[in-house]
Every structure is written in structure tokens, then in C-alpha cells.
Amino acid sequence: MFKFNFNVEDAEQLEFLPDGDISSAQESQAGQAQSGMPSERVVSVNELAIDELLSALPPAISYSPLTVPLTSSSRHSATIARRDLFDARFQLISLEDTEDSSIIAPETGTSAQAQKDLEFLDAPSDLVPGVYEGGLKTWECAVDLADCLDRLLGGESAARIRGKRVLELGCGTAVPSLYLLHQLFSSEPPERVSSQASEVHVHLQDYNALVLRLVTLPNILLAWCASYQPLTYAEADAEPLPPADPTTPGTLPITPELTAAFLAALRAYGVRLRFFAGAWEGFELPHAYDVVLTSETIYRPDSLPALVHTMRSACLGVGLSSTADGNHGEKQAADGLARLELGEGHAPVFPLCLVAAKRVYFGVGGGVTEFVRAVEGKHGGVETVWERADGVKRVVMRVRWS
């Protein structure tokens, strides 16, 4: 049996990782690069169907609350249910014990491929270049970004993302997207869903397909369970579906009735979810986006060109795949840039491109200065919209493209 060498505490013991942990992980990463290990392996991007992700869920998942401070809201904080890290680990152990690799590597179905996919668990660092990019953990800046979204969108988050397309790059546990979905599921579903006015497209990308299966999709399911009314989607004569209480740790049984109700809720709310696994270099964007989010992704300088190129393309709708909605991209780019000049007060302007990060990532040379330089090299501009000055300095930046 393989062993786990994660160098941080389990998620249920901390609301999020202590300051500085990513730095120590990246010092190890830098040592690996100096020893001749490839700094990055380009992985083509594959889309994972939501039915496939749902079928990969175990009979039950355990979760714990994650408190998101809301610095500009009268609510002071929001609580999001998040799958426990130990529970994801246990699922992996169970899969290897039974040599059932279909969930981990459905394209091959072999235990050898499953073992290869899990090699990062034996690594001394929580970040292994070209293999695993830390997506199973919730990092501090993801929480900062959710707080910033609340400030920028205000108490009308659900209404303001109606008809919008949202992309989270390097999503991992997807806390910023979870915040938006929680707000959406907590509101009343639209009386009529139309593709233009009411649908909300939420696309999530991570380097590792394993991360999307183990934490991203389960967390989205939990966000819905913590928000819905049980009798809304259950048959009147059936046993009510168990809601997840995000304020206390618990276990959510995964049943066919629950997943069917979840899919029905997505249709009722007009939420279109898509999941993409692979490197930014191989990501052929299917659409232009109104909201582009990313957190803790600028720690490695050699990955910045691909990240910045993807962000710019996502916001301006340039270089889309042949099947993309080019009309939406052209209209969004033109209208969005006009609104950047006309926005007043706290009214949100689109496209909204936000990056949350530590100012400096010690050991590998990444940080805000290098990121700003990369953006300016692509004719973009960066402004700080949120900042923490004490302790490990962290910021949320808004990127504007021309």
C-alpha cells in the first residue's frame, strides 16, 4: 500500500492552510528543478463529463465547514461545506486495496496506470512539478478571493452572475466558485431559464483530473446540498433528501436519488457545469468569459506566460477553439471594455478578471512582481483591489486587458 506524505495538517483541523506552507513546499520544488527534474510536463486538456464525475463518488462523503470572512458584508462571514481531505485519502486507499482503478484512470482501467496517477502521494513535497499542483488543499488566497467577490458583487451576487460565464483556472477545491454557487443556490430559481438571460455557465479547470474527481465536484454537490429545500426536488411521498449542514462536520450519503435531484437542480437554476483537466498550454477555450478567477497559481515564473495567455484569451475571446461561441466573445470584449470606462461606484464591470496570490513565493522566484511584468508584456494592466499587509502579505489583483 502506498503511503501519504502530505506536509500539512488535514483540512478538517484547519479552516485553511497556515501562512507560509506553500513556500516551504516550493523550496523543495526548486530543489527538484535544480537536480534536473523537468519543471513542467505539458498535459493536453480533457473534458470530464459530470455524469462520469458523479459516478466516481463513493457511497458517502464526509465534510467540514470552511468559514469565509466577509470584510465588507453585514453578514461578516459565509460558511461553505468542503469535503474532508482524510476522506479523499481514504477513497484512494480503498481504490488501491481493491485494485479498482476505473475511477482514477477510466481511460485505461489498469492498476499500473492508477499507481502512476498516485505517485505524487509519495513525494516529499505537496507540489510536484508536472505531476501534482496542490489542488487537494484549500490555500489561503482562495478564501481571500471569495471575500473579494462578495465585496465586488455585493449582496446581489446571484443576480449579477445570471447570464454570465465564469471560469476558474487551477480551481482545486474551488472555493471562489463554491461561494458563487452557494449564493446562486440560496436564491430562488428563475421562473424561466433562457440561454441568454438566466443561464450561468461555470467552468472549472485543474491540472489534475484526480483533483476534479476527489474534491472539486464533491464540493459543488455539497454547496447545493447546503442550500436547497429538500422537498423542492424530492417526490412528495419519498423520504426527504438529507441536507448538508455546512456549519458542523458531517457525512452526506451519496444515493441515486441525491445525484438525480442535484442534476434536476442544475437544470432548474440554469447552471451549466463543465470540468477540464490538463495544462494551460493545451487548453482550447470553448468560450469567452465574463468572470475569470484564479488563486495561488503564480508561484512558478515559467508557468506565467501560459497562465497570462489563457486569462487574456478568456476575457477577450481571442484564439478560441473552432467550436467556440465567437459572437459572444466579440460582443463581450467590446461591451466589457466600454463598461470599464463607464462603471460607477460599486457596480461590477465585466469582464472581471481576478487573481489572488501571495506577494512573494520564496524559493522559486514567483510572485506579484513577476506576474505584473508578464501581464504588462501582453498589453494588460493590474490593480490591487484587496490586500493583507500583516503576516505573509497577500493580495487580490484585478487584471484589465486591452
Side-chain angles (χ1 to χ4, degrees):
M1 178 182 297
F2 61 83
K3 59 190 176 76
F4 296 90
N5 284 326
F6 289 94
N7 58 4
V8 295
E9 298 182 54
D10 283 350
E12 70 274 12
Q13 296 174 324
L14 293 172
E15 289 189 350
F16 47 84
L17 297 187
D19 290 333
D21 275 8
I22 193 169
S23 301
S24 60
Q26 287 160 340
E27 289 172 1
S28 174
Q29 182 178 1
Q32 292 169 341
Q34 292 171 359
S35 67
M37 177 179 288
S39 62
E40 185 168 353
R41 173 171 54 92
V42 175
V43 177
S44 61
V45 174
N46 297 308
E47 182 171 0
L48 281 66
I50 189 170
D51 290 340
E52 174 194 340
L53 294 173
L54 289 172
S55 68
L57 292 172
I61 56 176
S62 69
Y63 59 88
S64 295
L66 172 69
T67 300
V68 179
L70 303 178
T71 55
S72 63
S73 173
S74 59
R75 292 176 295 152
H76 302 298
S77 66
T79 303
I80 298 172
R82 175 189 52 173
R83 187 182 188 186
D84 291 320
L85 179 58
F86 79 84
D87 192 52
R89 292 177 178 176
F90 181 76
Q91 182 179 353
L92 292 177
I93 293 172
S94 300
L95 288 171
E96 196 195 30
D97 283 345
T98 61
E99 294 189 351
D100 178 5
S101 65
S102 60
I103 292 178
I104 299 175
E107 66 278 4
T108 63
T110 65
S111 58
Q113 181 63 44
Q115 182 61 41
K116 182 178 180 181
D117 288 343
L118 294 171
E119 283 178 355
F120 66 82
L121 296 173
D122 281 323
S125 170
D126 197 46
L127 297 172
V128 184
V131 180
Y132 169 63
E133 297 292 340
L136 291 175
K137 308 292 172 48
T138 297
W139 305 93
E140 305 98 314
C141 293
V143 179
D144 299 339
L145 185 48
D147 177 24
C148 190
L149 281 170
D150 182 79
R151 183 169 69 84
L152 292 175
L153 299 178
E156 302 176 0
S157 300
R160 285 175 169 166
I161 63 172
R162 282 275 169 213
K164 301 295 188 294
R165 287 173 173 160
V166 180
L167 172 66
E168 185 173 353
L169 296 167
C171 63
T173 58
V175 169
S177 294
L178 293 182
Y179 165 77
L180 293 177
L181 289 169
H182 179 76
Q183 298 302 309
L184 191 68
F185 290 137
S186 298
S187 65
E188 291 294 326
E191 294 182 2
R192 181 181 178 183
V193 175
S194 67
S195 59
Q196 296 298 321
S198 300
E199 283 191 347
V200 180
H201 295 254
V202 179
H203 296 179
L204 300 114
Q205 177 273 337
D206 195 89
Y207 189 83
N208 297 102
L210 195 64
V211 168
L212 297 172
R213 293 186 177 97
L214 290 179
V215 294
T216 309
L217 184 277
N219 284 351
I220 292 174
L221 181 64
L222 287 166
W224 165 70
C225 284
S227 309
Y228 85 117
Q229 297 298 317
L231 292 180
T232 302
Y233 302 105
E235 296 294 336
D237 58 349
E239 182 178 352
L241 299 172
D245 179 3
T247 62
T248 58
T251 300
L252 179 70
I254 306 299
T255 65
E257 293 78 14
L258 184 76
T259 56
F262 172 62
L263 293 173
L266 294 180
R267 291 190 294 270
Y269 278 92
V271 175
R272 311 301 181 191
L273 297 174
R274 295 179 70 178
F275 301 84
F276 301 91
W280 295 316
E281 289 90 338
F283 193 7
E284 293 188 7
L285 296 167
H287 302 291
Y289 294 87
D290 304 284
V291 180
V292 177
L293 308 171
T294 191
S295 61
E296 303 278 23
T297 53
I298 68 170
Y299 53 84
R300 193 163 66 240
D302 59 4
S303 68
L304 289 179
L307 173 62
V308 169
H309 173 78
T310 303
M311 292 169 56
R312 184 177 186 275
S313 299
C315 289
L316 299 183
V318 295
L320 302 181
S321 67
S322 58
T323 58
D325 183 355
N327 291 334
H328 177 85
E330 293 172 3
K331 181 177 185 301
Q332 181 217 35
D335 291 352
L337 289 174
R339 285 196 296 269
L340 291 178
E341 302 299 328
L342 299 175
E344 297 180 359
H346 297 288
V349 290
F350 300 100
L352 181 63
C353 184
L354 298 176
V355 179
K358 296 180 177 69
R359 281 203 170 274
V360 178
Y361 290 94
F362 298 102
V364 284
V368 170
T369 299
E370 293 73 18
F371 174 73
V372 172
R373 187 181 299 120
V375 169
E376 291 176 345
K378 287 290 187 178
H379 308 290
V382 179
E383 63 175 317
T384 299
V385 295
W386 183 99
E387 184 170 13
R388 172 179 167 173
D390 59 320
V392 175
K393 295 177 174 58
R394 308 197 302 264
V395 298
V396 177
M397 300 168 283
R398 177 168 188 174
V399 182
R400 300 175 187 257
W401 304 99
S402 59

